[in-house]
Amino acid sequence: MKNNNWLYKAYKTNELPVLKSAHKRFKKPEVYYDLYSLPANIVDYGKNKKYYIRTYGCQANERDSEHIMGILEDIGYTRTMQAESADFLLLNTCAVRENAEKKVFGEIGLLKKIKYKTPDVLFALSGCMTQEPAVINKILKKIPYIDIVFGTHNIYRLPQLLEEALFTTKSVIEVWSKEGHVIENLPSSRESHIKAWVDIMYGCNYFCTYCIIPYTRGKERSRPVKVIVEEIKGLVESGYKEICLLGQNVNSYGKDLKEDVDFTELLKLVADTGIKRIRFTTSNPWNFPIKLMETIAQYSNIMPHVHLPMQSGSSSVLKRMSRRNTRETYLEITENLKKIVPNLSLTTDIIVGFPNETKEEFEDTLDIYDIIQFDNAYTFIYSQREGTPAASMSDNVTMDEKYKRLYALNDKVTTYSKKNKEKLIGKEVEVLVDGHSKNDHNFLSGHDANNNVVNFIGDKSDIGEIIKLRITKALNFSLMAEKCN
Ligand code: 5AD
Ligand code: SF4
């Protein structure tokens, strides 16, 4: 077994990712139903031991963490929310913006103290940050006590990496450049018994110039229709009320499959499973056909909410971002969506301060926001990601100016969020109750069909149910309601 001399570990690097090769990758993805397995040595290794996991970033990472938890529980570990009492510490990281990475390095600093006190505790890192060569190098320099580093493509190998870590004094680092296969026999421990994430595809083919995701998650691979539909049928049987179909670009679903199926067809099959609520994220403003809008309108269990990242309201910025749409086509799609889907809510992502963004280009973003009047938006200051094309663009916009633009945009986001919510006062809405409100335990909290947060006073027995509520008050980003008699 491993000795405690962990401070003097040498590094064992099986393979390191190469960002540049991301564009070239293009192998036919394969689906495997038996790649995940437990080595005999560690079948019960986690018995009477605890794991602590912290997840950063997007829903894809949340879902990956559910698989990681499933694997650790398969080995016998149970979960703890207290890092101090854990035998296995894991951070599942996010690389999308510098801020996310800073948070992870902050947490590493905290967990390091635990590792110093109790060297037998295993410390692991996974997720998008580990796919960046620069981060791996920083980890190697700064964190000699790390036990296991794995990437987004080889989660299924965690048992083998754990086994290796137990029988070596070295850090076990295995991160692949090439995208992984579609692995269908991973265990999973879901966070919620009410709502479930369901991956429909992995990766992204678009290489928008600011975005690190195609490099860290590889090219698009779709899961077969049959396994998705079976998974959802199983969730319905287990009492789940809502599923959210996940992919970097759900509208591209099926392009790599032999079967003749696209996202619209998949959505119909999913709706026919009888699951009460269906959501999906993320769509992009290209390949969003009218038939998809009509399908959203046609099925009462497909929620009338579309999250459609816009990034900028300026065609010239969109071009520099290598987005596949213009301001005009974005306006056209959102007009069609509003016409075709009754009671639609529309949310978006916007980046301000992209390299050399002029005042006029930013004004175009404010202007389009006034036209579309989104229900909500996630807004970000552009963050330089090493290895992406935008990172080598010149940039004459000062940080001060970027913050000013962010605040100006956020004012609009708040104004329209509140304005749209005020329209609901006095109306009855159906709310799926998630649990107690995080801010005030006296309130229960849930989401209406439009994905608005609704708080109300109710009974514990309402949790997990879809109930009718009357809206009484609109706050900036949430609603207050009372039960209907
Ligand atoms: N800087 C700022 N925001 C980014 N996003 C992606 N990459 C960056 C970056 N380099 C935002 C986009 C995307 C969301 C998930 O994160 O708006 O839609
Ligand atoms: Fe990134 Fe663009 Fe792909 Fe979205 S579509 S993940 S922003 S490259």
Side-chain angles (χ1 to χ4, degrees), residues 366-386:
L366 293 180
D367 179 68
I368 202 171
Y369 208 101
D370 282 328
I371 299 172
I372 298 174
Q373 310 199 356
F374 292 99
D375 292 278
N376 205 348
Y378 297 97
T379 56
F380 312 102
I381 289 182
Y382 165 74
S383 166
Q384 203 178 52
R385 306 285 65 212
E386 200 176 318

Side-chain angles (χ1 to χ4, degrees), residues 280 385 422:
F280 52 90
R385 306 285 65 212
E422 276 167 352

Side-chain angles (χ1 to χ4, degrees), residues 373 414-424 476:
Q373 310 199 356
T414 311
T415 304
Y416 287 112
S417 171
K418 178 139 196 226
K419 197 172 145 202
N420 290 344
K421 282 170 187 57
E422 276 167 352
K423 291 181 201 155
L424 292 170
N476 285 347

Side-chain angles (χ1 to χ4, degrees), residues 96-97 210-211 309 311 349 351 380-383 385:
V96 76
R97 281 171 295 277
Y210 51 83
C211 188
Q311 313 301 2
D349 293 342
I351 297 174
F380 312 102
I381 289 182
Y382 165 74
S383 166
R385 306 285 65 212

Side-chain angles (χ1 to χ4, degrees), residues 234-485:
L235 291 166
V236 175
E237 261 170 43
S238 320
Y240 279 84
K241 297 278 166 37
E242 182 175 304
I243 52 121
C244 183
L245 305 175
L246 292 183
Q248 299 308 332
N249 273 298
V250 289
N251 302 41
S252 299
Y253 176 78
K255 281 190 181 164
D256 56 310
L257 292 176
K258 281 190 212 102
E259 303 153 86
D260 187 18
V261 63
D262 61 8
F263 183 56
T264 308
E265 293 309 311
L266 177 74
L267 209 46
K268 288 180 183 170
L269 294 170
V270 170
D272 289 337
T273 61
I275 183 86
K276 290 269 190 309
R277 285 181 159 202
I278 300 161
R279 299 186 188 280
F280 52 90
T281 195
T282 301
S283 292
N284 269 304
W286 50 87
N287 56 41
F288 205 122
I290 297 285
K291 68 170 185 175
L292 174 55
M293 303 180 191
E294 288 169 348
T295 302
I296 299 169
Q298 189 186 337
Y299 287 86
S300 60
N301 56 349
I302 304 179
M303 295 298 101
H305 168 224
V306 176
H307 182 70
L308 197 65
M310 177 171 77
Q311 313 301 2
S312 166
S314 150
S315 290
S316 45
V317 172
L318 289 171
K319 194 157 179 222
R320 299 207 293 283
M321 288 177 165
S322 269
R323 299 286 283 174
R324 305 294 196 276
N325 64 295
T326 59
R327 172 187 173 89
E328 288 69 35
T329 54
Y330 192 88
L331 277 168
E332 189 186 326
I333 288 176
T334 49
E335 255 169 49
N336 284 336
L337 266 167
K338 284 181 182 179
K339 243 187 267 160
I340 294 171
V341 183
N343 300 321
L344 176 82
S345 73
L346 200 56
T347 56
T348 196
D349 293 342
I350 298 172
I351 297 174
V352 302
F354 188 74
N356 285 352
E357 183 189 55
T358 63
K359 279 215 159 73
E360 293 71 33
E361 286 170 333
F362 174 63
E363 294 288 332
D364 276 348
T365 297
L366 293 180
D367 179 68
I368 202 171
Y369 208 101
D370 282 328
I371 299 172
I372 298 174
Q373 310 199 356
F374 292 99
D375 292 278
N376 205 348
Y378 297 97
T379 56
F380 312 102
I381 289 182
Y382 165 74
S383 166
Q384 203 178 52
R385 306 285 65 212
E386 200 176 318
T388 60
S392 46
M393 292 179 185
S394 64
D395 188 1
N396 58 12
V397 192
T398 64
M399 210 49 195
D400 227 30
E401 177 61 23
K402 290 183 195 229
Y403 271 102
K404 275 191 197 137
R405 292 180 191 179
L406 181 73
Y407 297 148
L409 178 60
N410 284 349
D411 277 349
K412 284 218 184 290
V413 174
T414 311
T415 304
Y416 287 112
S417 171
K418 178 139 196 226
K419 197 172 145 202
N420 290 344
K421 282 170 187 57
E422 276 167 352
K423 291 181 201 155
L424 292 170
I425 293 173
K427 296 220 164 99
E428 274 185 21
V429 294
E430 288 196 336
V431 171
L432 172 56
V433 185
D434 299 320
H436 289 279
S437 158
K438 282 187 194 100
N439 300 332
D440 185 341
H441 210 72
N442 293 318
F443 284 88
L444 292 179
S445 184
H447 288 83
D448 70 4
N450 288 143
N451 215 26
N452 290 314
V453 173
V454 185
N455 294 311
F456 68 104
I457 291 181
D459 311 316
K460 234 176 149 186
S461 61
D462 295 329
I463 296 174
E465 300 298 327
I466 295 173
I467 60 171
K468 280 211 166 109
L469 296 175
R470 186 174 302 102
I471 303 299
T472 53
K473 194 174 171 189
L475 305 177
N476 285 347
F477 295 103
S478 64
L479 293 157
M480 304 298 293
E482 61 190 15
K483 280 189 162 180
C484 298
N485 297 319

